[in-house]
């Protein structure tokens, strides 16, 4: 897409002054991508100027992982957070994977370590471990199979067992437990963005906007999910919206996503409960440009660790998304 088309697509989301600063950066990044045979993977929570302006592959964490495995590019720049870059590196070990800001972390990933998982396995011997991809390579290395919010139910059920250790998102785990008979042993990790939503807030939306459709990400607390009309991964929510095209919607999730979606869904009015992910926000066009220019910051995983962590991600990729993704 040329810069004029990007400007038209983003419409009211950017002032003329902002565009004047950002347009040359977009052009510079697109040229650097060509020169270095690089691609940019952009998560659904990334700011619209990055998502639509320079993202080559856009989607949820599962799609980004799958595409990282398929690409022929020499360099992958992750316009997402660190665990997403690590997952890309696990699946494309021969490629250079860059994250424009090393501090782009995730409260779920930092809630648990490999040593914690080893202790849990000692406490519950023989119980398989399913871990959300929002985790470090260290934790993935102690995991039987990873999952994302798009395939969590299918992954848990694929093991054919009665009990599973499900890490580290307590709320995602509680939601999965409502969809399956498998018993889940949970950890108390939370997403710092989604844990802030409350049932009262959703009730206020219903009262203020009669007939509003409410969709939520399963990282939200259980009472919030009970109040929602649909629960799904970021991609699950997008698919649901394009199929339903409700007149008014509130997406109970990170708020850049509503901005990314609304440019292609003009018939729907988006009411935004605005909570940004501070980690996603660390990624800017300037940092992406510098990342490409100076090959920074390369994500490296020691091979012994990578071998174990990779197996748990590869097992996940074989399992289909399911109806929530
Ligand atoms: P998805 O797996 O739905 O893309 O979500 C990733 C994430 O970080 C949600 O907070
Ligand atoms: Fe992590 Fe939450 Fe940010 Fe997703 S939105 S990257 S789960 S802190």
């Amino acid at each position: 897409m040329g810069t004029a088309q990007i400007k038209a697509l983003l419409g009211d989301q950017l002032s003329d002054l902002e565009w004047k600063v950002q347009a040359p950066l977009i052009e510079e990044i697109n040229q650097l991508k060509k020169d270095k045979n690089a691609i940019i993977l952009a998560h659904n929570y990334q700011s619209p100027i990055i998502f639509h302006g320079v993202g080559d592959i856009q989607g949820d964490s599962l799609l980004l992982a799958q595409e990282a495995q398929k690409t022929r590019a020499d360099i992958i720049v992750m316009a997402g957070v660190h665990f997403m870059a690590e997952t890309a590196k696990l699946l494309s070990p021969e490629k250079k994977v860059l994250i424009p800001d090393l501090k782009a972390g995730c409260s779920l990933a930092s809630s648990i370590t490999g040593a914690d998982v080893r202790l849990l396995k000692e406490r519950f011997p023989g119980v398989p471990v399913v871990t959300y991809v929002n985790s470090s390579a260290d934790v993935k290395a102690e995991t039987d199979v990873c999952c994302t919010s798009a395939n969590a139910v299918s992954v848990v059920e694929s093991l054919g067992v009665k009990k599973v250790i499900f890490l580290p998102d307590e709320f995602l785990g509680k939601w999965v437990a409502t969809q399956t008979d498998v018993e889940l042993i949970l950890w108390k990790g939370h997403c710092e963005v989604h844990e802030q939503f409350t049932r009262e807030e959703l009730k206020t939306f219903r009262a203020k906007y009669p007939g509003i459709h409410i969709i939520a990400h399963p990282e939200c607390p259980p009472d919030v999910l009970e109040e929602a009309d649909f629960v799904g991964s970021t991609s699950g929510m997008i698919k649901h919206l394009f199929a339903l095209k409700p007149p008014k919607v509130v997406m109970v999730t990170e708020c850049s996503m509503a901005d990314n979606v609304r440019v292609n869904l003009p018939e729907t009015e988006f009411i935004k409960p605005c909570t940004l992910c501070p980690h996603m926000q660390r990624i800017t066009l300037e940092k992406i440009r510098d990342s490409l220019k100076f090959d920074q910051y390369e994500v490296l995983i020691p091979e012994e660790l990578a071998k174990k962590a990779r197996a748990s991600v590869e097992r996940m990729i074989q399992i289909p998304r399911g109806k929530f993704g």
Side-chain angles (χ1 to χ4, degrees):
M1 220 187 317
T3 42
Q5 282 163 293
I6 298 165
K7 186 173 190 312
L9 186 72
L10 295 178
D12 62 351
Q13 297 197 22
L14 224 55
S15 69
D16 285 346
L17 194 64
E18 281 172 299
W19 182 249
K20 235 173 145 174
V21 178
Q22 307 289 8
L25 277 168
I26 292 178
E27 279 168 9
E28 197 179 349
I29 289 169
N30 286 336
Q31 189 56 49
L32 280 163
K33 283 196 293 193
K34 276 193 206 138
D35 297 346
K36 302 188 98 166
N37 189 25
I39 58 159
I40 297 179
L41 304 188
H43 187 263
N44 289 326
Y45 291 163
Q46 202 43 261
S47 352
I49 187 83
I50 294 175
F51 188 84
H52 293 291
V54 297
D56 298 294
I57 311 273
Q58 299 130 321
D60 69 350
S61 53
L62 179 56
L63 181 115
L64 298 187
Q66 290 163 332
E67 294 298 323
Q69 197 179 32
K70 284 189 220 153
T71 180
R72 287 166 168 247
D74 295 318
I75 298 178
I76 296 172
V77 179
M78 180 55 71
V81 294
H82 193 266
F83 77 80
M84 296 176 183
E86 257 188 357
T87 308
K89 181 68 185 174
L90 289 174
L91 292 170
S92 286
E94 72 297 347
K95 300 205 159 53
K96 189 174 271 186
V97 176
L98 305 173
I99 179 97
D101 186 328
L102 280 168
K103 290 200 194 107
C106 169
S107 64
L108 279 168
S110 57
S111 74
I112 190 162
T113 64
D116 292 326
V117 188
R118 284 192 288 279
L119 282 175
L120 278 168
K121 290 200 285 193
E122 272 172 34
R123 207 166 139 208
F124 301 100
V127 180
V129 179
V130 173
T131 303
Y132 198 25
V133 283
N134 298 39
S135 53
S136 65
D138 209 25
V139 167
K140 288 186 175 82
E142 298 295 333
T143 292
D144 292 286
V145 53
C146 283
C147 73
T148 73
S149 50
N151 60 13
V153 178
S154 319
V155 168
V156 163
E157 296 200 325
S158 74
L159 293 166
V161 293
K162 289 205 173 95
K163 203 189 264 188
V164 158
I165 300 172
F166 187 92
L167 307 171
D169 188 345
E170 183 189 19
F171 296 153
L172 175 66
K174 285 193 169 171
W175 177 75
V176 171
T178 66
Q179 308 294 319
T180 176
D181 292 332
V182 180
E183 185 192 335
L184 302 183
I185 297 159
L186 301 176
W187 184 255
K188 285 209 177 300
H190 297 146
C191 161
E192 67 190 84
V193 174
H194 291 88
E195 71 177 351
Q196 292 179 42
F197 295 112
T198 62
R199 189 201 283 268
E200 287 61 44
E201 202 178 352
L202 269 56
K203 282 192 167 157
T204 309
F205 284 123
R206 287 221 194 272
K208 195 163 171 200
Y209 307 100
I212 195 161
H213 193 63
I214 299 185
I215 64 177
H217 194 278
E219 288 172 10
C220 294
D223 59 341
V224 169
L225 300 180
E226 270 169 30
E227 191 65 36
D229 298 308
F230 175 82
V231 175
S233 72
T234 55
S235 291
M237 286 193 272
I238 295 171
K239 279 185 214 150
H240 176 77
L241 272 188
F242 277 89
L244 197 70
K245 298 196 168 121
K248 256 193 194 81
V249 71
V250 57
M251 296 178 91
V252 187
T253 190
E254 208 274 354
C255 69
S256 292
M257 187 160 120
D259 284 334
N260 286 328
V261 179
R262 76 182 164 97
V263 299
N264 292 315
L265 212 55
E267 55 275 71
T268 294
E269 186 187 343
F270 287 78
I271 311 297
K272 279 204 314 171
C274 211
T275 309
L276 287 162
C277 171
H279 306 288
M280 292 279 176
Q281 290 294 302
R282 285 186 181 277
I283 309 296
T284 60
L285 285 177
E286 284 89 344
K287 288 182 192 168
I288 292 177
R289 187 264 323 269
D290 289 349
S291 177
L292 281 162
K293 220 169 162 176
F294 307 116
D295 284 2
Q296 66 193 27
Y297 296 93
E298 187 170 4
V299 175
L300 295 167
I301 307 166
E303 189 44 35
E304 259 319 283
L305 179 75
K307 225 162 107 186
K308 286 163 83 188
R310 184 177 301 125
S312 65
V313 181
E314 280 176 348
R315 263 178 231 129
M316 166 186 86
I317 294 225
Q318 308 307 321
I319 301 165
R321 279 178 175 267
K323 63 178 175 175
F324 306 105

